[in-house]
Amino acid sequence: MSADFPVALVFLLGAVVVPLLHGRLRTAWMLLLPVAAFACLLTLPLGESGQVELLGQTLVLMRVDRLSLLFGYVFVLASLLNVIYALHLKDTVQHVAGLVYAGSSIGAVFAGDLMTLFIHWELTAVSSVLLIWAQRSDSSFRTGLRYVLVQLLSGMFLLAGALLHWRTTGSLAFGQIGLSGPAGVLILIAFGIKCAFPLLHNWLQDAYPAATPTGAVILSAFTTKLGIYALARAYPGTEMLIWVGTLMAAFPIFYAVIENDLRRVLAYSMNNQLGFMVVGIGIGSELAINGAVAHAFADILFKGLLFMSMGAVLLRTGTVKGSELGGLYKSMPWTTGFCMVGAASISAFPLFSGFVTKSMIMSAAAGEGLLLTWLVLLFASAGVFHHAGIKIPYFAFFGHDSGIRCQEAPRNMLVAMAIGAALCIGIGVFPQALYAILPYAVSYQPYSASHVVAQLQLLVFSALAFAVLMRTGIYPPELRSVNLDSDWFYRVLFASWAQRATDALQQARATFGRMLRSTGGRLYARIHRHHGPQGSLARTWPTGSMALWVTTMLLAWLALYYLP
Amino acid sequence: MSGPRAYWLDRSENVSKIYRGLWLFGLALLAVDLALHKHEDFAFAAWFGFYCLFGFFACVVLVLVAKRLRGVLMRAEDYYER
C-alpha cells in the first residue's frame, strides 16, 4: 500500500463490502480492517501527504505527526475492540455504521485542513446516529434526531468558522487557531459541542443511553475524543479552557450520583473526564498537553470497557437501571471483574491506566499554581471514584440482590472486555509504553511513594464515605426518574414557546379569516343591494322614462340657451 | 437440581468484615502520613491526613448536595414523553 494512502479509506471502502459478506467471511473481513489499518499506520511517514486540488484549494488528507498518530492508534485500537464486541450481532446496519464512523473519525484526525476536517466531521455525525436509530424504537428515533441535529449544528459552526478563517487568513490549514477573531470563536463552539462543554453537553447524556448495547460502546470512543484532539490541535494554552474544563469536571458528578440509568451515569462521568482533558489543553504546557491526550487515550479504553460491561448487562437483563439491578455478580462473574477493572482505571487506582494519565494533568495544574482548579480536580477525582468507580459496579453487580439470574455475556463480548481490561492494566503497569508515543518527551514519574500514598488515601476514604453513607441509610436510593438538565431548555421550554407561537399564529390566522369573511360578507351584501336583481342600479328602466328624461334635459338646455 | 447456591457475600456479617477491613486499611494509610513526608506543590497538601479528610468529606458533601438537587431536578420517568 502506498504510504500516502488515506487510512480512513481502509474503513470507508471496507464498510461498503460488509453487506455483501455473510457468516464467517464477514467476521474475518471486519476483523481484518482494523488490523490492516494499524499496519498502514505503522508504515506512515511523518509529514503531509495525499494532497488534493479542489476549487483552487489544496486539501491535505494526511497530516501525520505525533499528535495525529496517537489518536490514529487509539481509534484503530478502539475500532478493533468494537468489532470484536459486536461480532454476535446480525445487524448489518450497525456493522457498516460502526466502521464508517470509525473511518470518518480517523479521517478527521489526519485531516490537514479545515475543509477535510469538516467533511469527516459531518460523516461521523451521520454514521453515528445510525447506532442510535438501530435500537428501532420510537423514543430512540426521536433521541437520534435530537442528537444528529446537535452534531450537524456543530458542523455548521465549523464550516462558518472555516470559511471566515479562510477569508481573513487566506489559508484553510488546520493548525493553531486561537481565539483572536470571530472565526476562532465559531470553530471553538463547533469543537466545544463535540467536547460537551457545559450547556453544550446534554446531547451526550441524552443520546448515549439511547443507543444499542454495542452502539453506546462505539459512540463512547470517537466523537468526544475527536473534539479533544481538535481542541488540542487548535487551542492549546487558551486560558478560558482551564475554567471551562474545571466546571466540566465538577458539575456532572452531582448528576451522576442521582442518575438511575447506569449508562447515563457513565455519560456524566465521561463529561467529567473530558473536563480534565480540557483543563490540560487550557494549561497548554508540554506536561499538560501530554496529560490531556494520554488521558484521552486511556479514557477511550476504560470508558469503552465500562460501556461494554453495561452493554452486556443490558443485553442479558434488558435494563441498566440501578433501581432494577443488583446481585448480578452471581450470574455474570467475568463481566463483574472486567467492570471493576474499568472502574479502578477511571478512578485512577495505582497500577491502572487513569493513575498514570490523569495525574499528569493534576501535576501540571499544581505546577502552574492553579489552586482552585487543582482543588476542584481533586474533588472531581474523589467524586469520579464515588459515582463511576463504586456506584456502577455496586448497583449493577452487588448491592441489593434483584433476583435476576441470567447468562454470562456472549463470548465475543468477554474477549473484547478482556483485551480492554488487559490494556487498562498494561498502561497502568508499564506507563512508559504510552509515554513513548505522546506528542512531547516525558520526564514525568507517576510512581513516587508520596503520589501513590496520597492517591490511595483519597480513594480509600472516598470509599469509606460511600460505605458510611450506605450503612447509615443517608445515601440516596436509586429511583426511577429523570433529572432535568440543559436539554430541558430545548425539549420543554423552547418546545412550549414554539407550541405557544404556533397556537398564537393559528389564532391570528383564524381571526384574520373571520374578519376577512365578515368584511367580505358586508361588501357582498352592499353590492347585492345596489347591483343585485332588486338593486336600484340594476333595474331595467322603461323606454318611456328614458324619453321623458331626454326631453327634460333638452328643455333645460333650451331654457339655459335663451337665458340672458 | 440443588438449592440456590450460597454466596459468601450474602451473609451480612461478611459484609461487615469487609467494612471493618476497609476502615483498618484506611487508618493504616492515615498512619503512613506520620512516617512519609509528601512532596507537594501546595504546602497544605502535605499536612497530616489532608488527602484522607479531603476524600471523605468531598464525597459526603457531594452526596448531600446531590440529594438536595433531587428535590429540584427529579421528575417522573415519563416526564418527557407526556
Side-chain angles (χ1 to χ4, degrees), chain A residues 167-228:
Chain A
R167 292 272 299 181
T168 46
T169 65
S171 154
L172 274 175
F174 176 33
Q176 168 104 29
I177 295 172
L179 272 177
S180 51
V185 175
L186 287 174
I187 296 175
L188 182 66
I189 294 173
F191 294 173
I193 292 175
K194 294 263 175 183
C195 292
F197 280 7
L199 300 181
L200 305 176
H201 68 282
N202 212 194
W203 61 268
L204 178 69
Q205 289 83 7
D206 185 22
Y208 286 13
T212 61
T214 50
V217 176
I218 305 174
L219 285 168
S220 78
F222 298 110
T223 298
T224 52
K225 307 314 176 299
L226 178 57
I228 292 293

Side-chain angles (χ1 to χ4, degrees), chain A residues 154-170:
Chain A
S154 157
M156 289 301 109
F157 274 109
L158 176 59
L159 182 63
L163 293 176
L164 209 56
H165 185 69
W166 175 46
R167 292 272 299 181
T168 46
T169 65

Side-chain angles (χ1 to χ4, degrees), chain A residues 139 142 253-255 257-258 260 321 329-330 363 366-367 369-371 374-375 378-379 382-383 386 398 449-450 453-454 456-458 460-465 467-469 471 473-485 487-488 491-492, chain B residues 5 7-10 12 15-16 19 22-23 25-27 29-33 36-42 44-45 49-67 69-70 72-81:
Chain A
S139 80
R142 275 177 284 138
I253 58 181
F254 293 95
Y255 274 96
V257 169
I258 50 175
N260 187 29
K321 295 198 171 125
Y329 77 95
K330 297 172 184 174
S363 173
L370 299 166
L371 176 62
W374 186 81
L375 282 174
L378 194 65
F379 171 69
H386 200 87
F398 300 99
S450 96
V453 168
L456 280 176
Q457 286 176 334
L458 185 77
V460 169
F461 275 83
S462 306
L464 278 170
V468 169
L469 293 170
R471 287 175 81 91
I474 296 172
Y475 197 87
E478 297 294 287
L479 297 174
R480 289 186 196 184
S481 58
V482 293
N483 295 306
L484 303 184
D485 198 343
D487 62 345
W488 179 82
R491 291 175 76 176
V492 177
Chain B
R5 198 179 135 192
Y7 288 85
W8 187 78
L9 268 179
D10 281 342
S12 68
V15 177
S16 296
Y19 179 64
L22 196 61
W23 267 114
F25 186 47
L27 293 176
L29 278 170
L30 183 63
V32 172
D33 262 4
L36 181 79
H37 177 71
K38 293 205 192 81
H39 308 282
E40 294 286 349
D41 287 294
F42 297 113
F44 63 84
F50 170 77
Y51 284 97
C52 302
L53 288 173
F54 191 96
F56 191 86
F57 286 105
C59 285
V60 171
V61 168
L62 168 66
V63 169
L64 294 182
V65 172
K67 215 173 153 180
L69 275 179
R70 259 195 175 165
V72 185
L73 299 174
M74 195 167 76
R75 294 292 182 275
E77 209 168 19
D78 61 346
Y79 176 74
Y80 286 115
E81 270 81 54

Side-chain angles (χ1 to χ4, degrees), chain A residues 212-502:
Chain A
T212 61
T214 50
V217 176
I218 305 174
L219 285 168
S220 78
F222 298 110
T223 298
T224 52
K225 307 314 176 299
L226 178 57
I228 292 293
Y229 163 78
L231 211 57
R233 172 74 70 191
Y235 298 93
T238 305
E239 196 193 337
M240 189 193 91
L241 293 179
I242 299 177
W243 304 110
V244 171
T246 306
L247 188 60
M248 267 170 91
F251 90 89
I253 58 181
F254 293 95
Y255 274 96
V257 169
I258 50 175
E259 178 57 52
N260 187 29
D261 184 318
L262 296 182
R263 287 201 298 176
R264 188 162 289 137
V265 173
L266 287 178
Y268 276 115
S269 86
M270 173 182 278
N271 219 168
N272 141 286
Q273 296 298 304
L274 293 167
F276 281 88
M277 299 169 212
V278 172
V279 168
I281 294 167
I283 294 172
S285 64
E286 290 194 356
L287 176 63
I289 295 285
N290 270 345
V293 298
H295 200 48
F297 191 105
D299 184 81
I300 287 176
L301 297 173
F302 61 62
K303 194 53 62 65
L305 179 56
L306 287 167
F307 267 109
M308 283 183 197
S309 66
M310 287 302 111
V313 169
L314 179 60
L315 180 75
R316 286 309 193 208
T317 68
T319 181
V320 278
K321 295 198 171 125
S323 55
E324 321 293 311
L325 295 173
L328 282 182
Y329 77 95
K330 297 172 184 174
S331 310
M332 307 175 84
W334 285 101
T335 307
T336 308
F338 295 136
C339 178
M340 288 172 73
V341 172
S345 302
I346 193 173
S347 315
F349 260 94
L351 300 180
F352 292 89
S353 60
F355 180 77
V356 302
T357 56
K358 190 157 73 180
S359 54
M360 296 169 93
I361 302 170
M362 299 285 291
S363 173
E368 301 284 321
L370 299 166
L371 176 62
L372 182 63
T373 299
W374 186 81
L375 282 174
V376 172
L377 293 187
L378 194 65
F379 171 69
S381 301
V384 73
F385 177 49
H386 200 87
H387 72 254
I390 303 177
K391 174 174 171 162
I392 295 275
Y394 182 81
F395 284 105
F397 299 111
F398 300 99
H400 160 77
D401 190 343
S402 60
I404 296 175
R405 295 291 179 270
C406 59
Q407 274 186 296
E408 178 58 280
R411 190 175 301 164
N412 63 303
M413 285 189 167
L414 291 178
V415 170
M417 285 191 268
I419 299 173
L423 288 167
C424 285
I425 298 173
I427 292 172
V429 177
F430 305 107
Q432 299 312 329
L434 175 59
Y435 288 176
I437 56 171
L438 293 180
Y440 304 104
V442 179
S443 58
Y444 180 73
Q445 285 296 338
Y447 287 105
S448 67
S450 96
H451 182 208
V452 171
V453 168
Q455 185 68 9
L456 280 176
Q457 286 176 334
L458 185 77
L459 295 179
V460 169
F461 275 83
S462 306
L464 278 170
F466 181 85
V468 169
L469 293 170
M470 213 64 204
R471 287 175 81 91
T472 49
I474 296 172
Y475 197 87
E478 297 294 287
L479 297 174
R480 289 186 196 184
S481 58
V482 293
N483 295 306
L484 303 184
D485 198 343
S486 63
D487 62 345
W488 179 82
F489 287 99
Y490 53 84
R491 291 175 76 176
V492 177
L493 186 66
F494 297 164
S496 86
W497 285 356
Q499 187 63 48
R500 251 184 267 171
T502 316

Side-chain angles (χ1 to χ4, degrees), chain A residues 132-133 135-146 210, chain B residues 81:
Chain A
I132 299 168
W133 284 341
Q135 191 73 304
R136 296 181 175 85
S137 73
D138 202 32
S139 80
S140 70
F141 174 73
R142 275 177 284 138
T143 310
L145 215 50
R146 285 195 295 276
Chain B
E81 270 81 54

